[in-house]
Amino acid sequence: VLFKDAEAIEHLRQIDTLIVDKTGTRTMGKPVFQGVVAAPGCSEDEVLRLAASLDQGSEHPLADAIVAEARRRNMALGTASDFESSTGIGVRGQVDGKSVAVGNTALMTQIGVDAEPMRSAAEQWRERGASVVFAAAEGRLQGLIAIADPIKESTPAALERLRADGV
């Protein structure tokens, strides 16, 4: 935190609410794979394989978690090409000649894929603190992948100290 003047520091004594960005503050700052849910007619392994194959070209922390899980499972990843990243919504490209997209509901809507059939499963993961990305291939929803950033061991005690101080 950078203070521009001493008056701002004086006002800190009046603060009774603290809002912090969780990534790297309350969490480890390294998202990890939590689970995969396949759409009807699809397999969980194929959802993860397609997403990880495409995400090999991404530098996003959620993509890293997906690729790491596929490698942990010793999956043979496909060859990705025509990789395209859309900031804030996801990635698109070709995997083994198939058009694949991995991202949020905005990306699914943009490419004409209805994520609604998996809304309930997505909400269940979100209620547990996970981020959810959807995977689609050839214009068809394949499934979703849940990723979460683990809470630091020190976070519960730090929050309790703040509460005890009236914050």
Side-chain angles (χ1 to χ4, degrees):
V1 177
L2 178 63
F3 294 99
K4 292 188 178 189
D5 59 48
E7 184 180 359
I9 296 171
E10 288 292 323
H11 287 295
L12 279 176
R13 63 185 165 84
Q14 299 170 2
I15 289 178
D16 65 358
T17 303
L18 179 65
I19 300 172
V20 294
D21 175 23
K22 71 177 181 75
T23 305
T25 304
R26 295 183 302 141
T27 63
M28 301 296 287
K30 179 114 173 94
V32 294
F33 173 88
Q34 297 294 300
V36 58
V37 181
C42 300
S43 77
E44 291 181 355
D45 281 349
E46 184 63 2
V47 172
L48 182 60
R49 189 191 77 78
L50 284 171
S53 296
L54 183 60
D55 276 340
Q56 292 178 97
S58 177
E59 296 176 358
H60 196 282
L62 298 183
D64 288 346
I66 292 169
V67 173
E69 179 62 18
R71 289 190 175 138
R72 188 190 71 75
R73 295 183 185 196
N74 295 313
M75 290 184 162
L77 300 183
T79 302
S81 61
D82 300 327
F83 182 83
E84 180 184 322
S85 178
S86 299
T87 303
I89 64 170
V91 295
R92 292 184 260 194
Q94 299 286 316
V95 174
D96 299 333
K98 290 182 181 178
S99 175
V100 176
V102 178
N104 62 21
T105 53
L107 177 60
M108 295 300 113
T109 299
Q110 191 177 89
I111 64 170
V113 172
D114 183 12
E116 182 61 25
M118 301 214 70
R119 185 177 59 81
S120 177
E123 286 307 313
Q124 288 175 10
W125 279 108
R126 289 179 183 127
E127 286 172 9
R128 291 188 268 179
S131 294
V132 173
V133 294
F134 296 95
E138 296 297 307
R140 183 172 173 264
L141 185 64
Q142 301 293 299
L144 64 81
I145 299 171
I147 303 115
D149 192 359
I151 302 288
K152 289 180 181 177
E153 285 183 31
S154 60
T155 294
L159 292 175
E160 189 53 43
R161 274 193 304 267
L162 287 168
R163 284 186 199 102
D165 288 343
V167 178

